[in-house]
Amino acid sequence: MKNKIALILLENLSLPFDRRAWQQAMALKESGKTVIAICPRFRDERGFEIRDGITIYRYSSSPITKG
């Protein structure tokens, strides 16, 4: 049987700091799915990380501007 993959895309917070998204990712992983998350990168966070079996890719976020 093929392993199912779940892709999570976030635009506001980084994992695991977005608690709601982190709990969803953990539930998907526990149900047997491979979980990949793409989220913003803040400060000194690494661009790639595997945490608790969840693959996290981080992209550089846009600078905060007034407007």
Side-chain angles (χ1 to χ4, degrees):
M1 183 163 116
K2 275 185 148 178
N3 189 9
K4 301 288 182 169
I5 298 173
L7 176 64
I8 298 174
L9 301 172
L10 300 168
E11 64 177 326
N12 294 325
L13 289 175
S14 179
L15 282 183
F17 302 111
D18 185 333
R19 296 305 301 162
R20 180 184 53 84
W22 183 249
Q23 290 173 345
Q24 291 172 347
M26 292 298 292
L28 287 165
K29 184 187 79 119
E30 290 169 6
S31 72
K33 294 181 177 53
T34 298
V35 181
I36 300 171
I38 301 173
C39 57
R41 180 179 176 181
F42 296 107
R43 297 186 191 110
D44 296 329
E45 289 181 318
R46 290 178 276 172
F48 173 78
E49 175 180 9
I50 298 176
R51 183 178 284 195
D52 295 335
I54 297 172
T55 303
I56 303 169
Y57 293 95
R58 294 187 182 98
Y59 59 87
S60 296
S61 59
S62 303
I64 298 173
T65 60
K66 295 181 180 178

